[in-house]
Amino acid sequence: MWSRQRGRLKPLCCGVEELRCRRREREAALRKARREQQLVSKRLLRDEALEEAEEGCVAMIFGEAEIQQFLQLAQRGTEEKEREGALVSLRRGLQRPETQQTFIRLEGSIRTLVGLLTSNQALLQLEAARCLHELSHSEQSAVVEACLPATSYLLTYLSGHSSDFIELCLYTLGNLIVESEAVRRQLLPQGIVPALAACIQSPHLTVLEALGYALSQLLQAKEAPEKIIPSVLGSTLPQHMLQLLQPGPKLNLGVAVEFAWCLHYIICSQVNNALLITQGALSTLGLLLLDLAGAVQRTEDAGLELLACPVLRCLSNLLTEAAAEAVGGQLQLRDERVVAALFILLQFLLQKQPSLLPEGLWLLNNLTANSPSFCTSLLSLDLIEPLLHLLSVSNVVSVLRKVLLTVSVCGQGPCSPPCWTRWPSLTLK
Amino acid sequence: MQLPPALHARLAGAPGSAEPLPVERDPAARTAPFRFAPRPVRFPREHDFFEEGDVQRHLYLQDVLMQVGGAPERPRVPEFTCQVAGCCQVFDALEDYEHHYHTLHRNVCSFCKRAFPSGHLLDTHILEWHDSLFQILAERQDMYQCLVEGCTEKFRTSRDRKEHLVMRHLYPADFRFDKPRKSRGPVMPGAAEQVLAEALGDDGVPSEGDAMEVCSEHVEPPPVPAGERRAYSHRIPSTICFGQGASRGFKRAKKRNKHQ
């Protein structure tokens, strides 16, 4: 059910200690970026098969003359293999920032690249798109913004049919989107939201994951609550997203992770969560939580915490909406299995990613806060003891205290501590 | 953290909710040392509470964290040729063939054999270039639909639509998939009509690749007829022409018919 999909990068061939060190550095950089509200990450799609074929060749730095040569050969070469080879060489060179800088400064270079992107030679098109993708991944704003002339074509190709090509266009767009507001100010009037809404109907998992990525970057933008989320909510995107998050044989982890994060960015912006609730967000996410709890018992090391985190956040925030209570029947979240699932996930997080425990407890708080029924479930399922065990985990104490107090008043309140005496099995450590 | 064994069974069990236990209020409640009101908590976008999870998300995006899934397979197959009549492209991988097919053969106009990137653009092309009823209707009402998905605006002429695309949707003025249909009667001195004919005449076959690049070695563009006016703020370089759309996918024995 949790079908895996193809990976992106080969494992790095360096020691475990070095890996850990690099990861700690990256984490520290990300934390700093987040505190400064500058959290930007891009995804680089380098075809594993291509990487293998090119193994051992270090990307070179090309000068103006060489770049000119490659471009001319790609444009006017007589042999197709020759033309394609020229673009492949260029693409490899563009992995280096120095070559990128030289490229964008060369007059007519982007124009030529866009011309090749829109040509009818399928392989040239693909290679030109890969070149653009390398540029989009750059850390230099000037390099990324040089790709702007290509955006209308990237969007046009989203309604094509070649899944590999569309995937590449989507990842490139995602990288461009996250670069700056200037880029988004061009993409929005060019119709990126309707283009994504049409593309989300694709049956290809790789396309869907790429689309989720691009959309998540769009929704993460600072100006998203005012300028982007309303039009996303007005499109068919939310319904499709929820459909793609429904548990079942078609659920794919990579796809689900992206769209769960998309939903999180929409929901925590609090633009129109009532709409999402009427579209069944609570029940879909609740069922997904159950499914996740089942999956963590069966599979080891599958990256399930990457999905658990946004699902926990979405549910927690949605439960604070008035609409969560008002909406009736199927759309509401009442199933006590959610509590069981949550505890299984808490145990999983305790082992796998303890830093995410507060988020799980946050959901528990919101579930129990206005629901005597859920409080009763907690007691009848014998979950107080495990909950108290968490007191030894340092980062959860304040959230845990809230939850315990909530349960002690059976989700109702205010009332006094004597309620504790009702359940003699309860012992406070 | 030890979970009660019955919990897993409960998860696998039927949906249901617990009947809330009755709560009796203690008569001494009024003198309680504290009052606590349970409340659901909401966190907005930028809250620090989300820092941990966000960092993990971005590590994943940067692919440092882990791979989701295994290595991809790109099987090589024995070489085969494209089956479409007139196309002799050879492939050894299915994905390459898929892309080739979709680019060159899938959305092809049966009248003029031009290829388009999507069904939507093909339909628009057929309507505007090959449908005489469209031409008749266009004399009386706005028929030229905006090309951007979701935009319902229609225009009287192809020029007006192009202006809308440029001004409103920030499209490039030389957007390749919005070519003005050439009028009936004598061939206009402008545009690539002449140039493409020359290119065809030169070597007898339509050149493959970008129609824009076909023009790059051609004559100076003819003077713009009096009626036309450039409404756009940026100049189009002379080496770029408004081509004929995508070039043909196969060789043609006879010269193009100038009056379509």
Side-chain angles (χ1 to χ4, degrees), chain A residues 150-167:
Chain A
T151 55
S152 58
Y153 296 109
L154 292 173
L155 289 175
T156 303
Y157 286 128
L158 293 188
S159 48
H161 302 278
S162 169
S163 60
D164 273 358
F165 189 57
I166 296 176
E167 187 193 357

Side-chain angles (χ1 to χ4, degrees), chain A residues 290 293-294 297 335-341 343-344 381 383, chain B residues 3-16:
Chain A
L290 300 185
Q297 296 174 77
D335 194 342
E336 107 178 311
R337 294 178 301 167
V338 171
V339 177
F343 269 81
I344 292 171
L381 292 171
L383 292 169
Chain B
L3 294 176
L7 197 68
H8 304 270
R10 183 64 195 94
L11 180 67

Side-chain angles (χ1 to χ4, degrees), chain B residues 3 17 36 68 121-122 131 136-137 141 171 218 225 228 237 250:
Chain B
L3 294 176
S17 55
F36 171 75
V68 181
L121 284 171
L122 172 63
D131 188 337
I136 296 169
L137 289 172
Q141 60 195 67
Y171 265 49
H218 80 300
E228 285 188 58
F250 55 90

Side-chain angles (χ1 to χ4, degrees), chain A residues 367-382:
Chain A
L367 278 173
T368 51
N370 283 330
S371 173
S373 167
F374 277 130
C375 289
T376 311
S377 298
L378 213 60
L379 293 158
S380 61
L381 292 171
D382 251 333

Side-chain angles (χ1 to χ4, degrees), chain B residues 113-158:
Chain B
K113 310 302 172 196
R114 284 178 181 77
F116 291 85
S118 69
H120 169 60
L121 284 171
L122 172 63
D123 292 342
T124 307
H125 160 81
I126 291 176
L127 197 63
E128 294 174 10
W129 284 52
H130 303 297
D131 188 337
S132 32
L133 182 61
F134 179 91
Q135 296 304 321
I136 296 169
L137 289 172
E139 283 161 29
R140 287 155 218 237
Q141 60 195 67
D142 298 342
M143 292 289 288
Y144 287 87
Q145 171 91 55
C146 175
L147 296 181
V148 173
E149 192 114 24
C151 181
T152 51
E153 303 248 7
K154 291 193 181 191
F155 301 89
R156 205 50 184 274
T157 65
S158 162

Side-chain angles (χ1 to χ4, degrees), chain A residues 127-163:
Chain A
E127 276 308 322
R130 290 192 183 117
C131 289
L132 262 177
H133 183 68
E134 290 288 345
L135 291 172
S136 76
H137 192 256
S138 170
E139 288 173 4
Q140 317 266 347
S141 260
V143 173
V144 180
E145 290 187 4
C147 300
L148 282 176
T151 55
S152 58
Y153 296 109
L154 292 173
L155 289 175
T156 303
Y157 286 128
L158 293 188
S159 48
H161 302 278
S162 169
S163 60

